[in-house]
């Protein structure tokens, strides 16, 4: 089974621009979560999408948004980029186990998109 | 806000030594996951622990979930240079798929 894929892997933008990152989950996984990783703050949760709906949201400004398509693929968008948005953006997918199945809803991460804002 | 404190932050040891990484919180988690991350890559799942007191072994790695499901530890026996990487613990607070990550432990195993 192919893993989580993210495109592009590297991106350089300037302040004020906007950017869209893409994530394709593992086949059969219905939930996609996004995380931001920086040296200072570590890994922080951005938001999670399931069935094309945002289910959970972290403590990030409204400039950060996302969406999920019917095939579970997801995109996140950052508008009006700031220098502090430079980070590794990670996407994780999970199967969303139905209630009768046992076990946690483990998240599997993609390789990330390295965004540099100049 | 649930926080996970991970220690130590940095660890540099010689090949063959043993080490333990700790992950502590004042909050209860429904499950706790350990990941290892290489530079420029995403975290790779090592193990998920769910039951309080649970112990899981993965070759030379032993993972333990505290009885109260508030803390966890990772013990590596006879560390090897290939174990070098950033080790992250992450807790799932409940039904939400929203992981809270520890700050990570950067492990360097010297040959």
């Amino acid at each position: 089974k192919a893993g989580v894929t993210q495109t592009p892997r590297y991106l350089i933008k300037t302040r004020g621009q906007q950017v869209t990152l893409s994530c394709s989950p593992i086949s059969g996984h219905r939930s996609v979560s996004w995380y931001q990783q920086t040296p200072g703050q570590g890994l922080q949760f951005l938001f999670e999408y399931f069935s094309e709906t945002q289910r959970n949201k972290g403590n990030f400004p409204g400039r950060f948004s996302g969406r999920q398509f019917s095939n579970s693929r997801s995109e996140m968008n950052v508008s009006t980029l700031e220098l502090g948005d430079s980070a590794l953006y990670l996407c994780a997918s999970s199967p969303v186990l139905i209630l009768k199945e046992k076990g946690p809803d483990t998240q599997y991460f993609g390789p990330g998109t390295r965004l540099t804002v100049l | 806000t649930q926080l996970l404190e991970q220690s130590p932050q940095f660890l540099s040891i010689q090949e063959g030594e043993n080490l333990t990484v700790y992950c502590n919180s004042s909050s209860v988690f429904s499950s706790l996951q350990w990941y290892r991350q290489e530079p420029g890559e995403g975290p790779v799942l090592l193990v998920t622990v769910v039951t309080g007191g649970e112990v899981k072994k993965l070759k030379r790695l032993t993972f333990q979930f505290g009885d109260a499901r508030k803390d966890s530890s990772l013990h590596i026996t006879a560390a090897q240079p290939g174990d070098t990487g950033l080790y992250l613990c992450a807790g799932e607070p409940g039904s939400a798929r929203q992981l809270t990550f520890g700050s990570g432990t950067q492990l360097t195993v010297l040959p």
Side-chain angles (χ1 to χ4, degrees), chain B residues 19-56:
Chain B
L19 66 112
T20 302
V21 177
Y22 299 94
C23 187
N24 296 295
S25 175
S26 57
S27 304
V28 175
F29 291 98
S30 62
S31 70
L32 197 137
Q33 301 167 21
W34 284 92
Y35 293 86
R36 188 173 84 183
Q37 186 177 23
E38 304 286 345
E41 298 295 329
V44 175
L45 180 69
L46 295 173
V47 78
T48 301
V49 286
V50 180
T51 306
E54 182 177 6
V55 176
K56 281 192 173 180

Side-chain angles (χ1 to χ4, degrees), chain B residues 12-19 60 76-80 83 109:
Chain B
S12 182
I13 61 172
Q14 293 293 134
E15 182 176 1
E17 293 184 353
N18 303 330
L19 66 112
R60 294 175 293 100
I76 301 179
T77 303
Q80 299 176 359
D83 296 327
V109 182

Side-chain angles (χ1 to χ4, degrees), chain A:
Chain A
K1 219 182 228 188
V4 177
T5 57
Q6 292 187 246
T7 56
R9 290 294 309 274
Y10 302 91
L11 207 49
I12 299 176
K13 293 286 187 178
T14 56
R15 279 183 301 175
Q17 287 187 309
Q18 74 167 20
V19 66
T20 299
L21 312 181
S22 181
C23 171
S24 292
I26 293 171
S27 177
H29 284 195
R30 298 179 288 166
S31 166
V32 172
S33 298
W34 289 89
Y35 293 82
Q36 181 196 65
Q37 186 175 28
T38 59
Q41 299 297 320
L43 265 151
Q44 293 185 290
F45 173 79
L46 279 157
F47 30 65
E48 183 233 351
Y49 284 86
F50 171 60
S51 291
E52 302 177 61
T53 303
Q54 187 181 90
R55 302 288 173 157
N56 299 293
K57 190 177 191 305
N59 189 26
F60 279 82
R63 300 185 297 108
F64 292 82
S65 62
R67 59 178 176 168
Q68 186 181 35
F69 303 95
S70 58
N71 61 358
S72 295
R73 191 176 69 85
S74 177
E75 289 180 347
M76 70 162 280
N77 183 275
V78 188
S79 62
T80 318
L81 284 166
E82 301 176 359
L83 295 179
D85 296 334
S86 293
L88 181 67
Y89 289 88
L90 294 159
C91 165
S93 77
S94 59
V96 185
L97 302 175
I98 58 178
L99 292 177
K100 67 179 182 182
E101 293 180 289
K102 294 181 180 179
D105 230 344
T106 300
Q107 295 191 25
Y108 298 88
F109 284 82
T113 294
R114 171 72 64 184
L115 172 64
T116 301
V117 182
L118 303 176

